[in-house]
Amino acid sequence: MMKQIFVSFSLLLLFLLHCTSTQAQPAAAPAAPTKPTPPSAPTIAPTPPSPMTPIVTINPPPIGAPIPSGPTNVIKILVKAGRFTLFIRLLKSTTVINQIEHQINSTNGRLTIFAPTDGAFSSLSSGTLNSLTEPQKESLIQFHIISSYISLSQFQTVSNPLRTNAGDNSRYRYQLNATAYPNSVNISTGLTNTSVAAIVYSDGQLAIYQVDKVLLPWEIFGAKPPATAPAPGPDQKPKKEKPAAVAYSPDDSKTDAADASGAVSLIMTIQNIVVLFGVATVAPLIFC
C-alpha cells in the first residue's frame, strides 16, 4: 500500500516539474509574415523606327564587273513590285511610258519617279480621273517624274521647288517641294502632303519611290488665283481723271441771264458817267 502511494506521489511530482519547466520557457516569437513579391514588370523593348525597306532590292554589280547591257524596263519593275496597277495603266494610256523609256535608255539619261499605289488612286474623290481631259491626265503623270536621278540622301540638298516633267514649277502651277528628315522625305504640292513610303528601285540612273498619295498639282486641281491688274510701264503716264459733270437745270439759265443783264447795266452806267465827266471837263474850255 505504501509502495503504491509512493509511486503515485512520484509520478505526480514528475508531472508538476514538467509543467513548471514548460511554462518557464519563453514562447517562440511568431514568424514575420512574408510580403508577397510583386511580379516583375514586363520589359518593353523600344520600337525601332520603321526603315523604308526597298520593295525590290537591286544589288550593284561588283567593281570591275561588266555592266549588263539592255534597256531598263520601268513597267516590268513596277509589275514586279506590285500595287501599281493604276499607275501603270495611266503611263500606258497617256503614252508617257514611251518618253520615259526613251529618256532612261538614252545616253546619260536620268530619272526619278514618284509612283502612287493603287490605294493612293482609290482614295481620290469619285470621278476625279474621269473628269480630266487627256492633256490633263498626261500633265498629272508628268508631275510625278523628274528628269534627274535623286537618291534618298540627295533629298537633303535639293533646291526647291523641284522641276518636274510637267513644266512650270512656279506657284499655283506645277510646284513640288521635297523636305528631308533623318528617317523620311516629305513631299508637298500645296494640295497634297505625303512622304516617300519605300524605295521601289534605285540603280544610280533610275530611282522609283513609292508614295501613298497621288501628287495633285495646283494647276489642275487648285483654285485659280485672283487676277492682278498689270502695273503701268515706265513710259506710261497715269490717266488724268475727268472733272465730274455739273448737273444743269432750267433755273441755272435764269440765274445766268440775270447775271448777264446786271453786268450789262453796270457797264452802261459806267460809260454814261465817263461821258458826262468828259463833257463837264471840255465845256468850260470851249466857252472860255
Side-chain angles (χ1 to χ4, degrees), residues 166-203:
D168 190 351
N169 62 348
S170 60
R171 190 181 182 188
Y172 301 121
R173 298 300 302 274
Y174 294 96
Q175 188 174 98
L176 183 69
N177 295 316
T179 305
Y181 296 96
N183 296 319
S184 63
V185 176
N186 180 264
I187 306 296
S188 176
T189 71
L191 296 176
T192 304
N193 189 32
T194 186
S195 59
V196 173
I199 304 172
V200 180
Y201 184 93
S202 180
D203 64 355

Side-chain angles (χ1 to χ4, degrees), residues 111-145:
L111 280 179
T112 298
I113 301 174
F114 297 104
T117 61
D118 293 337
F121 282 101
S122 62
S123 64
L124 295 174
S125 301
S126 178
T128 298
L129 293 179
N130 293 333
S131 64
L132 301 180
T133 63
E134 291 303 317
Q136 287 177 330
K137 290 180 181 179
E138 180 176 351
S139 296
L140 174 63
I141 299 304
Q142 296 281 22
F143 190 57
H144 291 73
I145 303 170

Side-chain angles (χ1 to χ4, degrees), residues 129-168:
L129 293 179
N130 293 333
S131 64
L132 301 180
T133 63
E134 291 303 317
Q136 287 177 330
K137 290 180 181 179
E138 180 176 351
S139 296
L140 174 63
I141 299 304
Q142 296 281 22
F143 190 57
H144 291 73
I145 303 170
I146 299 174
S147 294
S148 61
Y149 172 80
I150 305 177
S151 66
L152 200 61
S153 60
Q154 288 174 336
F155 279 108
Q156 299 178 1
T157 57
V158 294
S159 299
N160 287 318
L162 301 175
R163 187 173 184 85
T164 68
N165 285 7
D168 190 351

Side-chain angles (χ1 to χ4, degrees), residues 58-98:
I58 304 297
N59 296 320
I63 299 176
I67 299 175
S69 60
T72 301
N73 194 315
V74 174
I75 296 297
K76 285 185 177 180
I77 295 172
L78 294 173
V79 169
K80 183 179 179 181
R83 77 189 73 179
F84 298 107
T85 305
L86 293 176
F87 186 57
I88 293 172
R89 186 183 304 171
L90 287 171
L91 284 172
K92 292 180 177 180
S93 64
T94 59
T95 67
V96 174
I97 187 60
N98 299 333

